[in-house]
Amino acid sequence: MARYTGRMSKRYDQYCPVAHALGLVGERWSLLIVRELLQGPKRYTDLAASLPGIGTNILAARLKELETCGLVTKHRLDPPAASMVYELTPYGLELKSVMRSLALWGLRSIGPPTDEEDFAPGWLYGALDTVFAPSAPAGSFEFRIGSEVAGIVDGEAQRGPIEEPDVVLEAGVEAFYWLFVERRWKGVKVTGERELLEQLLDAASAPAPAAPALV
Amino acid sequence: MARYTGRMSKRYDQYCPVAHALGLVGERWSLLIVRELLQGPKRYTDLAASLPGIGTNILAARLKELETCGLVTKHRLDPPAASMVYELTPYGLELKSVMRSLALWGLRSIGPPTDEEDFAPGWLYGALDTVFAPSAPAGSFEFRIGSEVAGIVDGEAQRGPIEEPDVVLEAGVEAFYWLFVERRWKGVKVTGERELLEQLLDAASAPAPAAPALV
DNA sequence: CCGCATCCCCAAAGATACTG
DNA sequence: CAGTATCTTTGGGGATGCGG
């Protein structure tokens, strides 16, 4: 694995994996940039647009840091559209498990959404991909939440409608919150195998499974 | 888009569980304070001592923030020793899974330790408790790493020697690193069931298990 | 437009001295 | 021991500029 020994902007002088990790991605905005790039390669201005308040100099600085740390690479797109895109390296992609832990922890205190418009396009796919897909049971799920449509097929998140899904969930974002965080089935419409959906919820609620051999 | 006109120095203006989580523990030093408190209640000065370079004002500020966020509580110890201790709340304790993810990710790029003295007392117990115990197979393990002794019994980390352990590992901190991170069995002494130790390593290397029902 | 670099200003971090 | 007070330094936010 690539080891970064160079100068990190602000680091902690401790030999500790957590302190080291925070030296790489612990600065303000860094993990949110990673969150955006987990949805796929993005351009500079698209990143800036999805991170309200970041300030262009900070975004440039963070991207440069992430690049020198080996978490992000910069390419020029193929000829037709000759713009630059930023993309996670394999090691950067592995931050998905960190994002999942953080998201599951943060969900428990974030409270219900108040405004449908707080949601950026693609949020549903992102949530399914990083939070729910990693522990999803076999089967195919389609979610129609607000104006977003995405799903999970055999443990992999997919954008858009799913072909012949085993179960379909339709809800507004607030009902989605109440179901997935608070486990209240209110204001949701389920078509198909509801138990499969419950399995999905159960699996995500227990991100740190009991020791397998202890069961 | 950004409809928050007031003054919001810290925090990100997004309805996103990751952004919310980072608003709670994303500031500099916060997660390292949590790391210390995961080992049990600690006094102010002990925290300061185990976080070299933090500055007393920052420590006080972070503790106050963590307290108002409901992640930390402050008690006065029972009469014999009438000092204050800081302790994680149940919600704060649940950051252990986040620490585990971060540590497993950071380990892959931290590189081998160069100096035995970089290690604070109790580091072995901390590592076993947050990183390895959550996915440990049944059985009892004893680790004698450098001058530290700790172990895992049926998925729970314990300080000090273990009674009749199934397997004992003796090594220096550098050999410990090579074994647990790079999987090189060099300079370590194993007594007892070596396969059990391998199971422990395998379980921790795969923190995001494949979807159970897919197997 | 896109991808930054520069400048200004203020808020937060660091260092250290000090106090109940 | 457990912080507060004060001062300096650094970094972030916002606006603007500017070459490609």
Side-chain angles (χ1 to χ4, degrees), chain B residues 141-161:
Chain B
F141 306 77
E142 182 176 282
F143 299 88
R144 304 182 160 273
I145 313 299
S147 54
E148 299 263 317
V149 180
I152 300 177
V153 177
D154 289 335
E156 191 154 343
Q158 296 191 10
R159 302 171 198 271

Side-chain angles (χ1 to χ4, degrees), chain A residues 23-90:
Chain A
L24 298 178
V25 295
E27 282 178 311
R28 189 159 164 75
W29 293 110
S30 289
L31 274 179
L32 293 188
I33 293 173
V34 171
R35 177 197 72 190
E36 291 303 311
L37 294 181
L38 277 176
Q39 301 208 18
K42 285 204 175 188
R43 290 180 306 174
Y44 183 92
T45 35
D46 293 334
L47 284 172
S50 52
L51 297 168
I54 191 178
T56 61
N57 50 345
I58 301 298
L59 177 55
R62 291 293 176 276
L63 285 171
K64 206 163 292 179
E65 292 163 15
L66 293 172
E67 211 181 334
T68 63
C69 293
L71 308 182
V72 161
T73 54
K74 181 163 54 164
H75 314 133
R76 186 170 304 280
L77 272 193
D78 296 327
S83 63
M84 306 289 274
V85 289
Y86 294 88
E87 187 174 8
L88 290 176
T89 65

Side-chain angles (χ1 to χ4, degrees), chain B residues 10 23-24 27-30 33 44 47 54-69 72 74 86:
Chain B
K10 284 301 179 190
L24 298 179
E27 282 177 310
R28 189 160 164 74
W29 294 107
S30 289
I33 294 173
Y44 184 90
L47 284 172
I54 191 177
T56 61
N57 50 346
I58 302 298
L59 178 56
R62 291 293 175 276
L63 285 171
K64 207 164 291 178
E65 291 163 18
L66 293 172
E67 212 182 332
T68 64
C69 291
V72 160
K74 182 163 56 164
Y86 293 88

Side-chain angles (χ1 to χ4, degrees), chain A residues 4 21 24 34 37 45 86 96 107 118 142 162:
Chain A
Y4 181 68
L24 298 178
V34 171
L37 294 181
T45 35
Y86 294 88
K96 190 188 282 189
L107 268 177
D118 287 342
E142 183 175 281
I162 304 301

